[in-house]
Amino acid sequence: MSEPVPLWLDCDPGHDDVFAILLAAYHPGIRLLGISTVHGNASLDQTTRNALSILAAIGKDRDVAVYPGAARALLRQPVHAVDIHGESGLDGTELLPAPRSAAATDASAVDAAAAALRSCAPGTAWVAATGALTNVAALFAAHPDLRAHLAGVSAMGGSVGGGFTDAVMGTVDGVSRIGNYTPWAEFNVLIDPEAAAAVLQDPLLAPKTTLVPLDLTHLVLATKDVQDLLLYGPPDDGESGKGHPREGRGKSDLRVMLVELLNFFATTYRDVFGITEGPPLHDPLAVAAVLVGTDHEIPFYDYDDAARADARERFAVEVVTEGTLEDARDRGAQTGRTLVRPLPPGVPGVRIPRGLDIPRFWREVEACCQRADEANAGALAAAKE
């Protein structure tokens, strides 16, 4: 088997960030180097607290350090997604534990990430960003040599539209849209478009970057069947007898908590965007994408057409930085929009997948739930001895 991919995770927890952290911490194909937090779904203080609480919930708080990063965008005031994630950033459950450890203070988030990434062999480590790209842009500005050192950058953000995939993008006030926070812009890019432009338009980084837009994440919905899988594990196949019965509260408090968070997320997506089959799970896809080329790869497809599944399509991405948030929300400006242009075959650019093996993805998430359950049970047994 190939060596686990060294990964630095930059996030703004956030309901879907919970699953990103779970996948990064427990997938056997990933070695989580550390976590930095950023403004976004909630304030920096709250996203940092949320990250520490999530690590406590999954039994990894003694293994993974959390470094608070940027509290605001490079050039703009902070904006928080209260309408989607609630005041805490993780509304919807009473099962999230309080942090059992404190955030790291031995270095800044940027310097801690740089040190961790430099400790890895050239061409092996990834950065996955599931919030605003403020910390990531600051990392490469302060440590430009890392652009050549890294294997890749994976970012959840942006939206393409125009039938890029078959995903339902959502409707607000009867009007279909491309973005989620404005008609044109996705939230992570909108709240710091200058940072997104610095990363996505960098000639050295772009060929190493995978962008996971709404067009992809809105294909991955946490339906009732998915929620049952997460609550109870795989169904009994009728022969092994190993499946968990589909009854009762769920296999563990962790699993119940995850589904409670999904249900809160589902309600906001139904009420705000009219998406009723289940909430899209954006952020863990950016983590899953770092497994490309390994024995653990979850297939991502550059084309919907199965006949071209092995083809590779690359894009030039331009981020609209003109205008303010008020311009975008009230006056129709396209601030924060990701303008995507296909590149000729063989020309390097950003990878933007159009699909993935969705059943495989959910099986991997459930397997990480099982590993977390086992770790929590082991810790509890040790504490009783």
Side-chain angles (χ1 to χ4, degrees), residues 191-208:
I191 63 174
D192 198 344
E194 286 79 16
V199 175
L200 297 173
Q201 296 171 202
D202 185 292
L204 290 179
L205 287 176
K208 295 183 173 186

Side-chain angles (χ1 to χ4, degrees), residues 174-365:
V175 179
S176 298
R177 51 172 51 209
I178 292 173
N180 55 3
Y181 207 71
T182 75
W184 298 106
E186 181 275 332
F187 179 75
N188 289 345
V189 174
L190 175 67
I191 63 174
D192 198 344
E194 286 79 16
V199 175
L200 297 173
Q201 296 171 202
D202 185 292
L204 290 179
L205 287 176
K208 295 183 173 186
T209 297
T210 299
L211 185 65
V212 176
L214 298 178
D215 313 72
L216 181 65
T217 66
H218 279 213
L219 295 172
V220 184
L221 303 179
T223 63
K224 179 62 166 60
D225 286 343
V226 165
Q227 293 181 35
D228 282 348
L229 174 67
L230 297 179
L231 269 179
Y232 304 112
D236 190 342
D237 62 12
E239 297 177 3
S240 68
K242 294 181 180 178
H244 194 276
R246 291 294 201 264
E247 59 186 26
R249 188 164 171 263
K251 286 180 70 175
S252 67
D253 282 349
L254 171 63
R255 290 173 182 261
V256 173
M257 182 194 82
L258 293 174
V259 172
E260 287 180 348
L261 290 170
L262 283 175
N263 284 328
F264 181 90
F265 209 31
T267 299
T268 58
Y269 259 84
R270 182 195 66 215
D271 294 346
V272 176
F273 299 112
I275 296 176
T276 59
E277 298 165 63
L281 206 63
H282 312 286
D283 293 344
L285 297 188
V287 173
V290 312
L291 295 167
V292 62
T294 73
D295 297 327
H296 297 280
E297 181 172 358
I298 300 171
F300 281 68
Y301 309 120
D302 292 329
Y303 289 96
D304 290 330
D305 183 355
R308 298 191 293 172
D310 293 331
R312 292 291 177 260
E313 187 177 22
R314 296 296 178 264
F315 300 89
V317 179
E318 178 185 353
V319 179
V320 177
T321 57
E322 295 79 15
T324 65
L325 176 64
E326 290 72 23
D327 292 333
R329 298 198 72 175
D330 304 329
R331 291 179 280 278
Q334 296 188 14
T335 311
R337 184 176 184 182
T338 43
L339 299 171
V340 172
R341 174 172 54 87
L343 294 169
V347 175
V350 176
R351 184 186 188 193
I352 309 178
R354 297 176 187 255
L356 73 154
D357 186 336
I358 296 173
R360 167 77 179 273
F361 168 77
W362 285 120
R363 290 196 300 271
E364 296 286 355
V365 171

Side-chain angles (χ1 to χ4, degrees), residues 107-131:
S108 70
V110 164
D111 289 343
L117 294 165
R118 282 206 186 94
S119 73
C120 304
T124 62
W126 281 70
V127 171
T130 62

